[in-house]
Amino acid sequence: AIQLTQSPSSLSASVGDRVTITCRASEDLSSGLAWYQQNPGKSPRLLIYDVSTLESGVPSRFSGSGSGTEFTLTITSLQPEDFATYYCQQFNRFPITFGQGTRLDFK
Amino acid sequence: QLQLQESGPGLVEPSETLSLTCSVSGASISRSNDYWGWIRQPPGKGLEWIGTFFRSGSTYYNPSLESRVTISLDTSKNQFSLNLTSVTAADRAMYYCARAPLSVMRYFDHWGQGALVTVSS
C-alpha cells in the first residue's frame, strides 16, 4: 500500500498566518490526491481534490499543489475556524490510504 | 441535498459481528453512478479506508480487512451496510459512511456524522 507521510505532525500558528502542510507519498500519485479538514467531534470535510481543485464552498485561502510524490496544502491568512486537523488521501493506487494527520492549533 | 446517516449498535462483544447501516437521502443509490464507502477512525487516530461498493454489486475492500468485511446494498431502503466479523478491541472506532463521486478510486465528498462502535464484553 502507498504510504503517505504528513509533515509536520503538529503545527502552532496564529490568526492571519500562512501555513503549509506537506504530504509525501511512497510512490508517484499522478493527480490522485485530496485534502480534508477535520474539527474535533466532526466528520472530515473535503477541501481539495485532484491535487489542486478546490471543493465547492471552500474558501480561496486554501490551496493545493505538488506532483509526483510531494504535495502541499497551503492556508493563507489563517482564520479561527481553520484550527483543525488536516489529512491527505491518495486515490491513485489501490488500496486508498490516508496520511496520519497534521494538527493545527493556536500558538 | 445529499445526506448520509450511520446507525447501528454502539457496543459489540469481542468475536461478534459489527453491523452498521448508512441511510442515504438526496440521491438514489440504485440509480446513482456514484460509489459508496466506509471509512473508520480509532479514537485519537487517523483515517482508515474499509471498502467501497457500486450499485452493480462491485465491491472493493482494504486488503487489511478483506477477510472480515462485507458491504451490501438495500435498494428498498436506499441504504448500504457494513458487516465486520470477529471484532476485537482494535476495531473500536468511529465508523463513517461516505460518497465517492463517479469512481471507486476517488475522494470522498460527502460524509455521514459517524457512528462510534466500542468492542467490549
Side-chain angles (χ1 to χ4, degrees):
Chain A
I2 293 179
Q3 306 296 317
L4 298 179
T5 303
Q6 291 182 228
S7 59
S9 295
S10 63
L11 176 61
S12 296
S14 302
V15 172
D17 285 353
R18 178 180 187 271
V19 299
T20 298
I21 298 169
T22 298
C23 178
R24 290 185 175 88
S26 57
E27 298 178 26
D28 190 323
L29 298 184
S30 183
S31 60
L33 187 97
W35 290 95
Y36 299 86
Q37 176 193 64
Q38 187 177 33
N39 288 106
K42 300 293 187 181
S43 310
R45 172 197 182 195
L46 177 67
L47 298 175
I48 288 168
Y49 60 92
D50 295 346
V51 178
S52 60
T53 303
L54 205 63
E55 171 70 344
S56 175
V58 174
S60 59
R61 62 181 179 273
F62 291 91
S63 64
S65 64
S67 64
T69 62
E70 186 160 329
F71 303 87
T72 59
L73 170 70
T74 299
I75 314 170
T76 58
S77 188
L78 273 172
Q79 298 301 300
E81 60 268 29
D82 300 337
F83 291 90
T85 299
Y86 293 85
Y87 294 94
C88 58
Q89 175 222 340
Q90 71 81 20
F91 48 93
N92 185 64
R93 187 183 296 276
F94 181 84
I96 291 166
T97 51
F98 293 85
Q100 84 281 11
T102 295
R103 179 177 172 176
L104 175 58
D105 58 22
F106 289 101
K107 184 181 292 182
Chain B
Q1 103 228 31
L2 180 65
Q3 291 187 316
L4 298 90
Q5 172 86 48
E6 304 86 350
S7 60
L11 180 64
V12 182
E13 294 193 359
S15 80
E16 296 297 313
T17 297
L18 178 160
S19 296
L20 294 173
T21 296
C22 181
S23 299
V24 177
S25 59
S28 169
I29 298 175
S30 61
R31 292 193 295 271
S32 171
N33 288 326
D34 297 319
Y35 288 67
W36 307 88
W38 289 95
I39 300 100
R40 71 179 182 177
Q41 184 174 36
K45 296 188 177 180
L47 299 160
E48 179 181 32
W49 174 67
I50 299 171
T52 299
F53 88 99
F54 187 62
R55 57 180 169 83
S56 65
S58 298
T59 52
Y60 310 84
Y61 299 131
N62 192 325
S64 67
L65 297 167
E66 186 168 16
S67 63
R68 299 193 291 130
V69 172
T70 304
I71 299 176
S72 58
L73 170 64
D74 184 339
T75 56
S76 65
K77 297 181 179 179
N78 207 36
Q79 297 174 338
F80 61 101
S81 299
L82 169 70
N83 275 6
L84 180 67
T85 62
S86 304
V87 298
T88 69
D91 295 310
R92 177 178 184 245
M94 185 72 81
Y95 285 77
Y96 296 101
C97 58
R99 182 186 79 167
L102 304 177
S103 173
V104 60
M105 293 307 289
R106 202 81 162 145
Y107 47 87
F108 297 98
D109 63 352
H110 285 82
W111 295 63
Q113 89 284 359
L116 180 62
V117 178
T118 298
V119 179
S120 176
S121 54

